[in-house]
Amino acid sequence: MMIHVVKSKIHRVKVTGADLNYIGSITIDEDLMDAANIIEGEKVQIVNNNNGERLETYAIPGPRKSGEITLNGAAARKVAPGDILILITYAIMSVEEAKKFKPALVFPNEKNNLLT
């Protein structure tokens, strides 16, 4: 049997932008992506603590040390700058693998989204 398991989580980042006219995705400071082991194009679940919205899109890297968290395309309608998000990725693995697996959990500075 294979199960879905949390692979990585960036906990409580602040939305810095919402760009409706972009083709889609979420732009994430590449330092945060590296710390959470998220790769470009990976599916990301987004949980908005401010309004309860949950959505999925894919990650694209933003400038390092920028703290950028920008929702692009249609997802931009689901957030407002300043909203607090939790970003989650998942992996599919066997139950035995899952018992040994440790996800990457990242807790950035809530004021600027940086790893301080």
Side-chain angles (χ1 to χ4, degrees), residues 26 44-48 53-55 57 71 85-87:
I26 181 170
V44 178
Q45 180 182 42
I46 300 163
V47 180
N48 187 326
E53 290 282 354
R54 288 177 173 256
L55 61 119
T57 189
L71 276 291
L85 308 180
I86 299 170
L87 310 178

Side-chain angles (χ1 to χ4, degrees), residues 75-89:
R77 295 196 183 274
K78 304 290 187 177
V79 300
D83 282 359
I84 300 298
L85 308 180
I86 299 170
L87 310 178
I88 309 164
T89 66

